[in-house]
Amino acid sequence: DIQMTQSPASLSASLGETVTIECRASEDIYSNLAWYQQKPGNSPQLLIYDANSLADGVPSRFSGSGSGTQYSLKINSLQSEDVASYFCQQYNNYPYTFGAGTKLELK
Amino acid sequence: EVKLVESGGGLVQPGRSLKLSCAASGFSFNDYWMGWVRQAPGKGLEWIGEINQDSSTINYTPSLKDKFTISRDNAQNTLYLQMSKLGSEDTAIYYCARGGYWGQGVMVTVSS
């Protein structure tokens, strides 16, 4: 199975700040990577697919980048509604696997 | 609008079986792969598996392959997850998913 190592596990940032979350795959996943946002009590919502494509309706302050084994999610100008947990998922190889998640809080 | 609604969850005793359903609407169900993901309380996401359009290909995460079975009924626009030999480790919210679209989830609690 492909292991997805996500960092940091938790993050505290101020409104308006730029934050970056990283995911490292144990082997090349050829940009077959998605990022999800999950707010408490809700199901995960797709933010980014194919490593850098913005899902429908997602604000442009979210962006994804990376290739090979290293990927990142960047949130520009952090808003209060961005407080959530974030997960990466690889869908290059079965079984599809998720990172352990990053909990983003406001400072 | 894509809509996925899970049902069939609840409290079940250890060792018993349970079948979850996912009613799909708002898209042509028989055109898409469908899958299941679960999340234990306060934990991360675990991919369970997915099924192709005509049920000829089903992929599972290896650790669950012998106790979970995914199936679908295209005439009823419904996806299923049959779970057997349930243990406390299977207590989780179970989500039905079509790519980036997820249902609201259904809670399964395994306890005596």
Side-chain angles (χ1 to χ4, degrees):
Chain A
D1 300 3
I2 293 178
Q3 308 303 315
M4 302 300 295
T5 303
Q6 188 173 338
S7 61
S10 63
L11 181 55
S12 182
S14 303
L15 291 174
E17 196 174 327
T18 294
V19 301
T20 300
I21 299 169
E22 311 266 346
C23 246
R24 185 182 78 248
S26 58
E27 61 185 82
D28 195 328
I29 56 171
Y30 302 96
S31 296
N32 291 307
L33 181 105
W35 289 97
Y36 289 90
Q37 176 193 66
Q38 186 179 32
K39 297 183 180 180
N42 290 345
S43 57
Q45 300 295 308
L46 180 67
L47 297 174
I48 302 287
Y49 63 95
D50 294 347
N52 58 15
S53 295
L54 201 65
D56 289 345
V58 175
S60 59
R61 64 179 180 275
F62 291 90
S63 63
S65 64
S67 63
T69 61
Q70 299 275 8
Y71 299 87
S72 61
L73 172 70
K74 187 163 78 170
I75 310 173
N76 286 318
S77 189
L78 187 70
Q79 306 294 303
S80 57
E81 60 264 33
D82 300 334
V83 169
S85 291
Y86 294 84
F87 297 90
C88 62
Q89 181 201 21
Q90 69 81 19
Y91 48 91
N92 189 66
N93 281 14
Y94 290 117
Y96 297 164
T97 45
F98 292 90
T102 296
K103 188 172 183 179
L104 176 58
E105 298 174 328
L106 281 180
K107 190 181 291 182
Chain B
E1 178 198 3
V2 173
K3 195 170 181 184
L4 301 169
V5 179
E6 302 92 339
S7 61
L11 177 64
V12 60
Q13 292 181 327
R16 302 298 291 265
S17 298
L18 193 66
K19 188 172 187 176
L20 305 181
S21 300
C22 170
S25 60
F27 65 100
S28 181
F29 181 73
N30 56 13
D31 283 346
Y32 290 89
W33 286 72
M34 297 293 299
W36 291 94
V37 178
R38 70 179 181 179
Q39 186 172 35
K43 301 295 185 184
L45 300 164
E46 180 178 26
W47 185 82
I48 296 171
E50 65 177 14
I51 185 170
N52 75 338
Q53 291 88 335
D54 65 2
S55 305
S56 60
T57 301
I58 309 173
N59 296 294
Y60 296 95
T61 201
S63 61
L64 301 175
K65 184 178 172 65
D66 291 336
K67 57 189 287 184
F68 287 7
T69 302
I70 297 172
S71 62
R72 65 191 294 165
D73 183 339
N74 286 344
Q76 298 293 324
N77 291 344
T78 303
L79 177 72
Y80 300 101
L81 180 66
Q82 176 71 52
M83 304 183 290
S84 63
K85 305 173 201 168
L86 287 165
S88 57
E89 69 277 8
D90 299 312
T91 293
I93 297 172
Y94 286 74
Y95 297 102
C96 162
R98 190 213 92 180
Y101 296 95
W102 295 44
Q104 84 289 349
V106 64
M107 185 71 205
V108 172
T109 303
V110 183
S111 175
S112 54

